[in-house]
Amino acid sequence: MLHEVFIAPFLDYEFMRRALVGALALAISGSPLGVFLILRRMSLAGDALSHAVLPGAALGYLACGLSLPAMTFGGLAAGLAVAVASSAAARWTALREDASLAAFYLVSLALGVALVSLKGSNVDLLHVLFGSVLALDDATLIFLAAIASFTLAALALAYRALALDTLDPLFARRASRLGEWIPFAFLALVVLNLVAGFHALGTLMAVGIIMLPAASARLWTRDLTAALPLAAAIGAASSYLGLVLSFRFGLAAGPVIILVAGGAYFFSLVFGRTGGIIRLRRPERHLEG
């Protein structure tokens, strides 16, 4: 029975194996970035940037149809443009960064949906918004694997600098001239993973596999070196269980993956060792003389 439920779908159907590989690649590379986003108090920035890629991807779709290179480069350009523009607006105007991101996010989402509607059908719009993780081809899988490999290599090489910039950005910028560029490089990595997630989970779901496992991990540990692999593990487990449940009950795979990740978050919210409700409400023991 367990074999039939948890293993047989991946042995019997190639599209399930492809979906699993693609979802695991997104979870392993995106979830650690989510930990840094939470620590930098930029959780909502991930959501805003996930919608910011939509106009560029829509322009690529209008020009070349459902073309992987066109939609990828379009989404990447749009995401980076919104990240730079919102930061500039926050720096040069009276708006704070969260308000600036919210404005760009709303405009980007509306513009992207309008552009897709010019040429596409409702099916195309659903594909763009919610992805098609069960229909990944070889080119998309290679792209997802390449993005995951590049992200993990970048995190390994720049871990100390990124951690320092996250925890003490003023010191990081005084210690090295490269400190000024670390936030932009980090945002570029986030946008790159959101563009990759767009192809599998769509613009509305891609940010979920980045933020929900990261939030769960932060409720279990305060150690950054432990939170990063824990977030990746939670994301990978959510991807696997989400695909199993979607196959078993005939549900849309992308939303079910995010719902499973949400379930892990709510479980952590209650039982998490470092920030869960039960832990925080439990009275601390005092030292006795």
Side-chain angles (χ1 to χ4, degrees):
M1 180 65 180
L2 292 178
H3 179 275
E4 181 182 349
V5 173
F6 293 102
I7 300 176
F10 302 99
L11 293 179
D12 296 340
Y13 299 99
E14 184 180 3
F15 71 88
M16 289 292 291
R17 294 194 294 271
R18 290 174 176 272
L20 181 61
V21 171
L24 289 179
L26 290 174
I28 292 172
S29 66
S31 299
L33 293 177
V35 175
F36 283 108
L37 283 171
I38 290 174
L39 291 176
R40 298 168 81 96
R41 298 184 178 181
M42 296 176 63
S43 302
L44 291 179
D47 186 50
L49 291 175
S50 71
H51 296 88
V53 306
L54 184 54
L59 287 175
Y61 168 74
L62 289 177
C64 306
L66 294 174
S67 166
L68 176 64
M71 297 180 73
T72 297
F73 287 117
L76 185 60
L80 292 175
V82 167
V84 172
S86 61
S87 298
R91 179 172 297 184
W92 296 333
T93 69
L95 285 178
R96 296 183 61 180
E97 190 168 7
D98 58 343
S100 177
L101 275 172
F104 278 99
Y105 140 66
L106 292 170
V107 173
S108 298
L109 180 60
L111 179 60
V113 171
L115 288 174
V116 173
S117 301
L118 284 177
K119 180 180 178 181
S121 62
N122 289 335
V123 174
D124 295 326
L125 183 59
L126 288 175
H127 170 83
V128 170
L129 293 178
F130 298 103
S132 54
V133 70
L134 296 180
L136 300 178
D137 55 17
D138 290 341
T140 306
L141 281 180
I142 293 173
F143 174 69
L144 295 178
I147 295 300
S149 301
F150 177 77
T151 300
L152 293 176
L155 286 176
L157 291 174
Y159 171 75
R160 293 184 63 182
L162 183 56
L164 181 60
D165 183 73
T166 300
L167 301 175
D168 194 347
L170 291 178
F171 178 77
R173 292 170 190 177
R174 290 175 181 174
S176 172
R177 294 180 180 178
L178 297 178
E180 291 285 345
W181 296 98
I182 292 175
F184 296 101
F186 172 68
L187 282 179
L189 272 182
V190 173
V191 171
L192 197 60
N193 277 265
L194 288 171
V195 171
F198 156 78
H199 290 290
L201 299 175
T203 58
L204 296 183
M205 299 287 110
V207 70
I209 203 62
I210 293 178
M211 297 309 307
L212 288 172
S216 300
R218 287 297 295 160
L219 291 168
W220 289 99
T221 179
R222 292 190 179 95
D223 185 352
L224 181 59
T225 58
L228 297 180
L230 179 58
I234 294 173
S238 300
S239 299
Y240 172 76
L241 290 176
L243 286 172
V244 169
L245 291 175
S246 69
F247 181 83
R248 184 72 175 173
F249 296 104
L251 301 172
V256 174
I257 290 174
I258 304 306
L259 283 175
V260 173
Y265 168 70
F266 288 121
F267 178 84
S268 304
L269 204 61
V270 177
F271 299 103
R273 290 182 57 225
T274 61
I277 295 173
I278 292 177
R279 175 72 175 183
L280 293 179
R281 291 182 61 86
R282 183 184 302 166
E284 296 288 342
R285 292 184 179 180
H286 297 280
L287 295 177
E288 297 180 359

